[in-house]
């Protein structure tokens, strides 16, 4: 059983995914009772949520990319003189200018008529000039009205064009907001999965040996028992961990010790190179125990030296994929063949050394045992997300880059720039009119 499961690829989470699913996950810790875990999401649920999050985030990125293209296309179309709204604006602006020119002409006609009236000397000339002035004033009134109507039409056409731009930018804004929300939810999903995947220590999960002598003689075989006890309040799937080694023995060197284990259905041999999981226990209820039988045959030519055995248990449950029980170190001495040590005490469990408490599958494979016999791989937090090279890396989710939202936002700013300038100019023109 692999305790360090590969964490699900999580790049995003659907907006509809319950936030509580992520915010409650960190509460699961070593020693947490079964009652307290009932309302917590299981690790499988967090994995599914993270997978759903990845899909939702990718969909949101795709939607923003399409939304940006649609926005640019809409703005480009609105900038074209052939677009109905732009064409109407151009025509209305021309009509407003023509009306302004007509008003200016009418105003000049009134001025000229007034000057002629003042210059008239005879009654007949004054009467004629007065008629001309009245006609000019009537024309000016009509020109003012026509200009006001043309300006209103131009303002309406300009507003319609601006509204179309605003509607397009607002639609893109909604798409971008959805991406931002998906990004935040993805981070929450990743954090919850990362927290749940971290290895935790559980002191109640014990692995103790009975029957292992503190002195063993070369050429003999000894039998002893490993008892695993689930002293926690949760049912666990347990993998006992075992390692028996001669002190100072190097990797690849033939060991004088041959250790086998059995649960009652045949014997299997430890590889002797590093700690390994033996006799997997499918489910061990709270307070439950399970025994593993072991035998150790000592080569008859074994030299006098020190040796040690390490035992622990790794486990998992529905909420935690990596639970580590405490490791115990049993030291014993190898005696030359024919030795008669007499009554020998059992090896006593002690605390592991600094280099002892290492677990398989906790770091990159391929690292061999240390010179002192402890495996060189040590337990580390399960990091399913959020770091380079882990499943939180966006490069593994199908998206091009973690900078995608920023890149799209920058592109949108460029696309919207022209529209913003147009809107400001339009409003200024309206205010002057």
């Amino acid at each position: 059983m692999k305790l360090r499961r590969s964490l699900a690829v999580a790049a995003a989470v659907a907006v509809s995914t319950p936030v509580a699913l992520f915010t409650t996950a960190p509460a699961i810790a070593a020693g947490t009772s079964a009652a307290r875990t009932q309302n917590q999401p299981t690790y499988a649920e967090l994995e599914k949520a993270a997978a759903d999050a990845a899909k939702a985030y990718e969909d949101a990125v795709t939607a923003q990319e399409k939304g940006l293209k649609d926005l640019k296309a809409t703005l480009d179309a609105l900038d074209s003189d052939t677009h109905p709204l732009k064409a109407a604006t151009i025509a209305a602006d021309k009509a407003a200018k023509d009306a302004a020119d007509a008003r200016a002409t009418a105003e000049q006609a009134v001025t000229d008529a007034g000057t002629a009236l003042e210059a008239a000397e005879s009654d007949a000339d004054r009467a004629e000039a007065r008629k001309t002035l009245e006609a000019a004033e009537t024309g000016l009134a009509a020109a003012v009205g026509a200009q006001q109507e043309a300006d209103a039409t131009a303002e309406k056409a300009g507003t319609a064009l601006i509204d179309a731009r605003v509607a397009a930018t607002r639609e893109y804004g909604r798409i971008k907001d959805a991406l931002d929300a998906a990004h935040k939810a993805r981070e929450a999903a990743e954090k919850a999965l990362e927290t749940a995947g971290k290895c935790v220590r559980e002191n109640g999960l014990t692995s103790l040996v009975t029957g292992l002598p503190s002195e063993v003689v070369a050429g003999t075989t000894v039998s002893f028992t490993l008892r695993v006890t689930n002293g926690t309040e949760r049912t666990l799937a347990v993998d006992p961990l075992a390692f028996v080694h001669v002190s100072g023995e190097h990797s690849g060197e033939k060991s004088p010790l041959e250790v086998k284990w059995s649960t009652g259905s045949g014997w299997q041999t430890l590889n002797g190179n590093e700690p390994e999981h033996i006799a997997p226990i499918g489910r061990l209820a709270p307070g439950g125990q399970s025994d593993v039988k072991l035998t150790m045959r000592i080569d008859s030519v074994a030299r006098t030296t020190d040796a040690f055995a390490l035992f622990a248990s790794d486990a998992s449950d529905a909420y935690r994929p990596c639970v580590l029980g405490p490791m115990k170190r049993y030291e014993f001495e190898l005696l030359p063949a024919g030795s008669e040590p007499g009554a020998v005490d059992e090896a006593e469990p002690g605390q592991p050394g600094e280099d002892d408490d290492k677990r398989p599958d906790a770091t990159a494979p391929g690292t061999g045992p240390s010179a002192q016999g402890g495996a060189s791989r040590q337990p580390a937090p399960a990091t399913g997300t959020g770091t380079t090279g882990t499943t939180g890396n966006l490069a593994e989710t199908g998206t091009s880059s973690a900078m995608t939202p920023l890149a799209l936002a920058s592109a949108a700013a460029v696309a919207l720039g022209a529209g913003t300038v147009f809107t400001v100019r339009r409003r200024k023109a309206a205010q002057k009119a």
Side-chain angles (χ1 to χ4, degrees), residues 56-80:
Y57 182 73
E58 290 169 0
D59 290 346
V61 170
T62 300
Q64 192 192 38
E65 291 173 346
K66 181 179 183 301
L68 180 59
K69 291 179 181 179
D70 291 345
L71 173 62
K72 294 177 67 176
T74 299
L75 295 180
D76 289 343
L78 290 171
D79 283 338
S80 173

Side-chain angles (χ1 to χ4, degrees), residues 41 82 122 145 180 199 254 276 345 428:
T82 61
S122 65
D180 292 342
C199 292
K254 186 179 185 304
E276 61 184 290
D345 294 332
K428 287 183 177 180

Side-chain angles (χ1 to χ4, degrees), residues 42-302:
T42 65
Y43 190 78
E45 289 171 338
L46 291 176
E47 284 184 314
K48 183 180 185 305
D52 291 343
K55 180 63 168 59
Y57 182 73
E58 290 169 0
D59 290 346
V61 170
T62 300
Q64 192 192 38
E65 291 173 346
K66 181 179 183 301
L68 180 59
K69 291 179 181 179
D70 291 345
L71 173 62
K72 294 177 67 176
T74 299
L75 295 180
D76 289 343
L78 290 171
D79 283 338
S80 173
D81 291 350
T82 61
H83 191 282
L85 292 178
K86 184 66 176 292
T89 300
I90 294 174
D93 286 344
K94 184 178 184 305
K97 184 178 182 303
D98 292 344
D101 292 343
R103 175 179 176 175
T105 300
E107 288 175 342
Q108 186 61 48
V110 169
T111 300
D112 292 344
T115 301
L117 178 60
E118 292 177 357
E121 296 179 355
S122 65
D123 291 342
D125 290 341
R126 283 193 293 275
E128 183 63 26
R130 188 173 290 108
K131 289 181 180 180
T132 300
L133 177 59
E134 291 174 353
E137 289 174 340
T138 300
L140 176 59
V144 170
Q147 183 188 18
Q148 291 174 343
E149 183 178 350
D151 285 345
T153 300
E155 180 65 21
K156 183 177 180 180
T159 299
L161 182 59
I162 292 173
D163 289 346
R165 290 178 176 275
V166 171
T169 57
R170 283 178 177 171
E171 177 59 28
Y172 175 76
R174 284 191 289 269
I175 295 173
K176 186 177 180 301
D177 288 344
L179 177 61
D180 292 342
H183 182 264
K184 291 179 181 179
R186 175 183 68 88
E187 289 183 333
E190 290 178 347
K191 182 62 177 177
L193 188 61
E194 177 186 7
T195 299
K198 288 181 178 179
C199 292
V200 295
R201 297 284 177 169
E202 180 55 84
N203 292 331
L205 180 61
T206 60
S207 302
L208 298 176
V209 165
T210 57
L212 176 63
S214 59
E215 296 177 337
V216 293
V217 178
T220 65
T221 299
V222 297
S223 299
F224 53 100
T225 300
L226 171 65
R227 170 161 291 182
V228 177
T229 302
N230 181 7
T232 76
E233 299 180 28
R234 312 194 312 273
T235 296
L236 299 172
V238 183
D239 271 352
L241 187 72
F243 184 53
V244 183
H245 200 72
V246 173
S247 297
E249 188 174 274
H250 298 286
S251 177
E253 183 179 345
K254 186 179 185 304
S255 176
L257 306 179
E258 183 184 58
V259 182
K260 296 183 178 182
W261 62 269
S262 174
T263 56
S265 57
W267 291 88
Q268 299 188 47
T269 304
L270 292 181
N271 62 38
N273 293 324
E274 60 184 0
E276 61 184 290
H277 292 120
I278 64 174
I281 304 167
R283 287 171 60 86
L284 193 60
Q289 294 181 333
S290 181
D291 289 343
V292 182
K293 301 296 183 182
L294 295 104
T295 64
M296 180 174 64
R297 185 181 68 82
I298 301 89
D299 194 300
S300 60
V301 296

